[in-house]
């Protein structure tokens, strides 16, 4: 029995809040953790931009009766941007979510949950400079569920395409010796060439040996 008790002390509890503290919180660390100790609000992150409030309700209501759900919105576009707040009536329901829902999948994404000191008006909007979440501005990989490329990478891609379009020069003449297939699609080269389009068309039906002799001539 002593061995069991000893092991239970080293196993991390799943219903504990993370070490994150909102930098906009005006109180002390002690006040922050005092609010978490009785909180009935849950922060949910890493959501797909396409996950609906109904989907969130269906999953999180398994842990208790939900008071309300506040969807996180892009500050500029007022569209979902990958997070929400779930408010319950009791602190116990929030702890159950940390134990049973945190790290599970919703819309093929592993969602993150954490205790929150309580929702206040204005916190539903993304804090990134572009209006969404900060993490999406610095993401380098493609994420279909969160709008594709991160904002920085998207700007880089747009700039690369702009430079490419500026330096692109379309082909105006077909080089001598180009295949019949190119002529068939684009027409004869401007200004003519050593071998005309009609000569190439007639040569298609020649035997390989005859075509080789013509090219050597």
């Amino acid at each position: 029995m002593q061995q069991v008790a000893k092991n239970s002390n080293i196993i991390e509890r799943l219903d504990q809040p993370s070490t994150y503290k909102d930098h906009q919180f005006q109180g002390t660390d002690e006040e922050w953790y005092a609010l978490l100790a009785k909180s009935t609000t849950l922060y949910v992150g890493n959501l797909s931009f396409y996950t609906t409030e109904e989907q969130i309700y269906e999953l999180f209501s398994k842990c208790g009766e939900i008071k309300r759900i506040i969807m996180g919105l892009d500050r500029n576009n007022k569209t979902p941007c990958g997070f929400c707040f779930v408010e319950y009536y009791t602190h116990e329901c929030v702890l159950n979510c940390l134990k049973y829902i945190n790290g599970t999948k919703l819309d093929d994404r592993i969602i993150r949950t954490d205790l929150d000191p309580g929702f206040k008006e204005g916190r539903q909007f993304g804090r990134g400079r572009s209006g969404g979440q900060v993490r999406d501005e610095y993401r380098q990989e493609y994420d279909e569920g969160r709008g594709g490329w991160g904002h920085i990478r998207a700007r880089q891609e747009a700039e690369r395409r702009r430079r490419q379009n500026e330096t692109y020069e379309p082909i105006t003449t077909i080089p001598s010796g180009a295949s019949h297939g190119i002529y068939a699609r684009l027409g004869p080269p401007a200004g003519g060439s050593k071998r005309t389009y009609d000569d190439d068309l007639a040569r298609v039906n020649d035997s390989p040996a005859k075509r080789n002799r013509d090219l050597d001539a």
Side-chain angles (χ1 to χ4, degrees):
M1 294 296 292
Q2 292 179 349
Q3 184 65 32
V4 173
K6 181 179 179 180
N7 290 339
S8 64
N9 291 332
I10 64 174
I11 298 176
E12 183 179 358
R13 292 181 56 179
L14 299 178
D15 57 357
Q16 295 298 297
S18 71
T19 57
Y20 169 80
K21 179 185 175 183
D22 188 348
H23 69 274
Q24 295 186 359
F25 181 72
Q26 300 298 318
T28 64
D29 289 351
E30 290 74 16
E31 291 172 330
W32 171 265
Y33 288 110
L35 289 172
L36 295 186
K38 58 182 181 180
S39 172
T40 58
T41 304
L42 196 73
Y43 172 86
V44 184
N46 201 39
L47 293 172
S48 166
F49 288 178
Y50 308 103
T51 298
T52 65
E53 184 175 334
E54 289 75 15
Q55 289 175 285
I56 295 170
Y57 185 90
E58 181 180 1
L59 176 60
F60 284 86
S61 62
K62 298 180 186 300
C63 290
E65 186 178 358
I66 294 175
K67 183 177 181 180
R68 64 171 175 165
I69 295 173
I70 302 100
M71 298 295 292
L73 301 175
D74 184 289
R75 186 174 61 252
N76 299 324
N77 301 322
K78 303 301 184 290
T79 54
C81 64
F83 73 98
C84 75
F85 298 93
V86 180
E87 287 188 355
Y88 288 94
Y89 286 97
T90 68
H91 181 65
E92 182 182 4
C93 294
V94 175
L95 297 182
N96 286 337
C97 284
L98 294 181
K99 289 188 289 185
Y100 304 125
I101 294 182
N102 184 43
T104 60
K105 278 191 173 183
L106 178 60
D107 261 355
D108 292 325
R109 301 185 66 84
I110 297 177
I111 58 176
R112 302 189 307 270
T113 63
D114 199 5
L115 288 179
D116 188 86
F119 173 78
K120 291 183 179 180
E121 187 61 34
R123 293 189 65 204
Q124 71 268 41
F125 300 120
R127 296 179 178 178
R129 288 177 296 180
S130 60
Q133 289 288 75
V134 175
R135 65 183 288 249
D136 291 313
E137 294 182 336
Y138 293 93
R139 186 179 68 249
Q140 293 294 315
E141 73 282 0
Y142 183 81
D143 190 336
E144 183 178 4
R146 292 181 70 91
W149 295 109
H151 296 293
I152 290 179
R153 181 62 182 272
R155 288 196 295 270
Q156 292 173 345
E157 288 293 311
E159 177 63 18
R160 182 188 64 81
R161 289 192 296 270
R162 184 188 66 78
R163 291 197 302 268
Q164 186 180 47
N165 291 334
E166 287 181 352
T167 58
Y168 172 74
E169 295 182 4
I171 298 175
T172 57
T173 61
I174 304 299
S176 177
S179 69
H180 163 67
I182 294 178
Y183 287 139
R185 291 192 300 272
L186 302 180
S193 66
K194 184 177 180 180
R195 291 186 297 144
T196 66
Y197 174 77
D198 291 337
D199 291 338
D200 285 338
L201 186 61
R203 191 172 289 116
V204 170
N205 296 323
D206 290 344
S207 65
K210 186 176 186 304
R211 288 199 296 270
N212 290 336
R213 288 196 302 273
D214 291 341
L215 292 174
D216 293 337

